Amino acid sequence: MTSVDLYRTVRLIRRFEERAIEFVRTGEIVGGIHPYVGQEAIATGVCAALKASDVITSTHRGHGHVLARGVNPARLLAELMGRESGLNKGRGGSMHAADFSLGILGANAIVGAAGSIATGAAWAHRRQGRDTVAATFFGDGAMNEGMLLEAFNLAALWQVPVIFVCENNGYATTMPVASAVAGSITGRARAFGIPAFTVDGQDPEKVLAATSSAVDRARAGQGPTFLECTTYRFDAHHTFEHRTRLTYRSTEEVSAGWSRDPVEIQGARLTASERDQVDAEVEALLDAAAGIALGSAHPDPAAALEYLYASPEAMR
Ligand SMILES: Cc1ncc(C[n+]2csc(CCOP(=O)(O)OP(=O)(O)O)c2C)c(N)n1
Ligand SMILES: [Mg+2]
């Protein structure tokens, strides 16, 4: 994966999210989204270290994860707009993107739940003799969910090839980490005997390097690794926040966050012309995606309940 490729992904996620926020404002996306703006380097670096046969699980803030995994932006945007041509036929929406053909076992709106799905999947693949690695993304808030701690336990006990990626953006909704998490985040993983590292989550190359080592360990049968990627959420917890006057973060704090922008950190590694070319490619891709999504039909209300209880086979 070249520096240009990593830049393309961070830029694609950033511009996808900015356009999605705009579609929330215009009402094309109903109900809002949890923007991934500021955290793009994590999805980019982690997914760049995986093979096509590997699997991931994602969260309520999951657009970046699935884009980095190779989902077609037109199908994701159509999904957010509830259209029939969406990734999940418009039935899943922002928080449930899944595409088994790309190893995306699903975003999950239940905080802390997807870690156990990834652990179970990695364990099952290993029992079937495959060399699959699972990466699971979750926030600092998930560190207080029992289900995730149970997943750490079995992953360590059974040496499951899973990579736990904690995106520590400093807050769970409006709750600062220091007010919610006792002890240290990596210390919790280490308590289960899981090697745990803190990584600069604003730099895709550092995330890629740390994840590559974790993938090597997992494939060599050495079990799980925990990566705490330190980051900052530049935008709202959810777009509803744009219409409120929450004061849990000062403007100074948010500006300080923007001073370590992953798009700029990676962009600085490209020449000006390389960067211009990628930016133009991304805009063209997203222009086309917006055209396709806006031109797609809404599902027939009479068919609203179809696919909700589909077997995994039906989602292919
Ligand atoms: C089990 C559960 N409890 C509460 C919620 C409501 N909720 C949605 S997002 C969120 C905050 C999650 O914070 P974090 O894990 O740090 O992720 P971030 O939003 O910062 O990306 C909460 C409490 C939920 N979805 N699931
Ligand atoms: Mg958080």
Side-chain angles (χ1 to χ4, degrees):
M1 181 75 52
T2 65
S3 296
V4 174
D5 293 330
L6 292 171
Y7 176 72
R8 185 178 295 109
T9 307
V10 286
R11 176 79 185 179
L12 171 69
I13 300 170
R14 170 66 54 85
R15 293 293 299 133
F16 181 95
E17 291 295 67
E18 287 173 344
R19 284 172 178 244
I21 290 167
E22 201 45 44
F23 283 127
V24 171
R25 288 205 178 98
T26 58
E28 294 291 351
I29 295 175
V30 178
I33 61 166
H34 299 83
Y36 195 61
V37 176
Q39 303 183 204
E40 297 89 344
I42 303 172
T44 301
V46 169
C47 290
L50 300 176
K51 291 204 295 194
S53 52
D54 293 331
V55 296
I56 67 163
T57 64
S58 174
T59 68
H60 55 286
R61 200 177 302 289
H63 308 163
H65 308 142
V66 300
L67 286 170
R69 191 62 193 162
V71 153
N72 179 340
R75 295 195 65 208
L76 181 61
L77 191 57
E79 185 61 33
L80 305 191
M81 292 181 180
R83 309 293 175 120
E84 194 66 44
S85 67
L87 193 61
N88 304 111
K89 299 185 188 293
R91 269 68 165 185
S94 169
M95 293 193 284
H96 303 97
D99 185 342
F100 289 6
S101 72
L102 292 173
I104 301 167
L105 304 186
N108 195 315
I110 311 296
V111 170
S116 34
I117 295 172
T119 302
W123 179 75
H125 277 262
R126 208 178 96 194
R127 298 215 8 129
Q128 288 162 3
R130 303 197 196 114
D131 74 345
T132 311
V133 169
T136 177
F137 298 92
F138 51 88
D140 44 278
M143 291 304 295
N144 291 324
E145 292 294 344
M147 210 177 340
L148 186 62
L149 300 172
E150 291 176 36
F152 292 170
N153 185 52
L154 287 185
L157 210 52
W158 297 343
Q159 292 291 280
V160 177
V162 57
I163 302 167
F164 294 107
V165 182
C166 178
E167 304 194 33
N168 182 358
N169 63 7
Y171 294 89
T173 316
T174 57
M175 174 76 80
V177 178
S179 311
V181 183
S184 84
I185 285 181
T186 48
R188 288 190 180 186
R190 286 196 196 109
F192 291 91
I194 299 176
F197 308 95
T198 300
V199 184
D200 177 1
Q202 299 310 94
D203 186 336
E205 299 200 349
K206 290 196 178 131
V207 177
L208 169 58
T211 312
S212 298
S213 305
V215 166
D216 289 347
R217 283 176 33 78
R219 277 204 229 286
Q222 291 165 9
T225 301
F226 182 100
L227 302 177
E228 177 196 21
C229 299
T230 52
T231 186
Y232 194 73
R233 164 167 61 68
F234 293 178
D235 204 281
H237 168 71
H238 181 274
T239 44
F240 78 78
E241 209 181 299
H242 296 154
R243 289 176 277 114
T244 62
R245 290 192 191 164
L246 299 179
T247 53
Y248 66 99
R249 310 195 296 184
S250 64
T251 10
E252 292 75 29
E253 184 188 304
V254 177
S255 316
W258 275 101
S259 72
R260 298 214 62 241
D261 181 346
V263 177
E264 295 307 318
I265 289 172
Q266 191 59 26
R269 296 179 175 133
L270 274 60
T271 64
S273 70
E274 283 172 333
R275 201 171 160 171
D276 287 347
Q277 192 183 330
V278 172
D279 291 355
E281 278 169 24
V282 166
E283 287 321 299
L285 182 65
L286 292 176
D287 282 345
I292 292 168
L294 289 167
S296 304
H298 286 281
D300 176 358
L305 296 182
E306 281 177 14
Y307 310 113
L308 293 189
Y309 300 97
S311 72
E313 288 304 315
M315 293 175 66
R316 281 178 202 281

